[in-house]
Amino acid sequence: MPHRVVVLALDGALPFELGIPQRIFGRSLGTESGGRGRKLYEVVTCSIRPPGPVRTDADFAVLVEHGPEALATADTVVVPASYELGPVFEEGRLTEELAAALALVRPGTRMVSICTGSYVLAAAGYLDGRPATTHWSSADHFQRIFPQVRVDPDVLFIDDGDVLTSAGVAAGIDLCLHLVRRDHGAAVANEIARRTVVPPHRDGGQAQYIHRPLPEPQFATTTAARAWALTRLDRPILLRDMAEQEAMSVRTFTRRFREEVGISPGQWLTQQRVERARQLLESTDLSIDQVARDAGFGTATSLRQHLQAALGVPPTVYRRTFRSSADA
């Protein structure tokens, strides 16, 4: 059976965030031996009340066809943002209606929040003593209301195993793609990203708020250097080589790169090489040594170290996991 994702629609929901799980999980298809796609997830939206309309922060309501009992059937629960959280936002306290709904969630269910949906998880106790994030503009308030949570305001999302939280708006897309990648591998996640016309991978540790996300007209960008680097990941790439692509000094290029991307050139290169290694491990029978060379890590030892740091597993385990999943 497909993995069941239940999205909790609360009054004051933001339509964009509310629609992210359906767009990402609802379009995720695997490949069976006959070449036909199969649904990997079933997405259901529910309310904390009986089926009916739920207010949004726009000039329309959404008609939700499932009540809170759907939460008892979830493998993953997603709580998107809402602008009408009332005592949850103001006091860190669940309403009786919301508490009763969340009490239906089975132990071991994966819990996910998008943007200020993290207030709901925190008020329910899911984030006690754990790292979490939320929209950068609410981070200070969130920490004051929930001092027991280890808030990181600077990242796009945090994966703490069975509880995951994201920053605002588009970071919810990044988190959902990360879950697809975690569940079914990079190839499936990248295909969803292509259909959704979004970057296939933004690391959770990337900066949430970039002071100059779009360069001012009088400044050059680092786009050409990044495109150049992606065509030669299997070869050594020095910082000065990337800077030369933009005719910048290393110092200027490094500053401009961080302003545009949110991380250093070295961190970005490592992320791209890890992503390339994942694709090769999932889709080819190349030896670990060859994967390491093609991804730019040089040696199998270096590949193991970087994959272990990024994913928590060595290359052989990663390949076996996703090959077994594909065969199944």
Side-chain angles (χ1 to χ4, degrees):
M1 294 292 292
H3 182 103
R4 191 166 227 231
V5 177
V6 176
V7 183
L8 182 58
L10 300 171
D11 282 331
L14 282 64
F16 182 90
E17 282 91 332
L18 185 61
I20 288 172
Q22 174 61 46
R23 179 67 204 188
I24 301 300
F25 297 119
R27 298 299 181 91
S28 297
L29 300 176
T31 302
E32 297 177 338
S33 57
R36 295 168 52 192
R38 59 183 175 86
K39 290 186 65 173
L40 300 175
Y41 301 92
E42 177 189 17
V43 183
V44 171
T45 303
C46 78
S47 170
I48 60 173
R49 298 185 296 272
V54 172
R55 294 191 304 275
T56 71
D57 77 325
D59 62 343
F60 58 83
V62 293
L63 181 62
V64 177
E65 297 183 355
H66 300 274
E69 64 279 354
L71 292 167
T73 69
D75 299 305
T76 293
V77 170
V78 180
V79 184
S82 165
Y83 280 161
E84 295 183 22
L85 292 176
V88 176
F89 184 84
E90 296 159 6
E91 307 169 30
R93 174 178 59 83
L94 297 176
T95 64
E96 290 185 8
E97 201 172 29
L98 182 52
L102 291 175
L104 299 173
V105 177
R106 296 174 298 175
T109 300
R110 186 164 63 185
M111 303 298 293
V112 177
S113 67
I114 298 175
C115 193
T116 55
S118 55
Y119 279 78
V120 175
L121 297 192
Y126 287 106
L127 300 180
D128 288 356
R130 305 180 81 153
T133 193
T134 190
H135 193 287
W136 62 268
S137 66
S138 299
D140 289 343
H141 177 265
F142 185 84
Q143 186 67 89
R144 287 196 303 272
I145 297 295
F146 302 108
Q148 70 276 22
V149 180
R150 306 201 309 271
V151 181
D152 187 342
D154 297 323
V155 297
L156 293 177
F157 61 83
I158 290 178
D159 180 343
D160 197 39
D162 59 339
V163 179
L164 301 93
T165 53
S166 84
V169 198
I173 297 176
D174 296 312
L175 176 54
C176 290
L177 283 172
H178 168 76
L179 282 170
V180 174
R181 186 177 293 106
R182 193 177 102 173
D183 292 345
H184 299 287
V188 174
N190 290 350
E191 180 58 29
I192 297 301
R194 281 192 290 270
R195 293 178 186 172
T196 313
V197 198
V198 296
H201 179 67
R202 290 200 300 169
D203 186 74
Q206 183 169 323
Q208 192 179 137
Y209 180 66
I210 303 171
H211 290 278
R212 192 164 68 227
L214 294 177
E216 297 174 17
Q218 66 266 33
F219 290 128
T221 76
T222 61
T223 304
R226 279 177 272 152
W228 173 83
L230 288 174
T231 65
R232 52 196 305 118
L233 289 175
D234 59 327
R235 285 168 273 182
I237 300 175
L238 301 177
L239 184 56
R240 68 170 179 268
D241 297 332
M242 295 183 70
E244 286 175 359
Q245 303 305 309
E246 306 289 1
M248 296 180 189
S249 69
V250 169
R251 182 176 180 180
T252 299
F253 177 81
T254 302
R255 184 182 71 252
R256 194 69 46 73
F257 193 100
R258 189 178 286 276
E259 288 172 347
E260 292 178 14
V261 182
I263 53 178
S264 72
Q267 290 171 313
W268 179 83
L269 273 174
T270 298
Q271 288 180 5
Q272 305 313 309
R273 284 176 163 145
V274 167
E275 188 67 15
R276 175 63 176 155
R278 293 173 73 159
Q279 293 170 1
L280 292 172
L281 289 168
E282 292 176 23
S283 61
T284 75
D285 293 317
L286 294 174
S287 68
I288 300 301
D289 287 330
Q290 188 61 55
V291 169
R293 288 192 292 270
D294 287 356
F297 289 116
T299 67
T301 299
S302 179
L303 171 61
R304 289 188 191 96
Q305 291 172 344
H306 282 92
L307 213 65
Q308 186 76 43
L311 308 177
V313 295
T316 51
V317 173
Y318 184 85
R319 169 174 274 170
R320 184 166 59 247
T321 298
F322 284 101
R323 286 296 178 86
S324 299
S325 177
D327 291 343

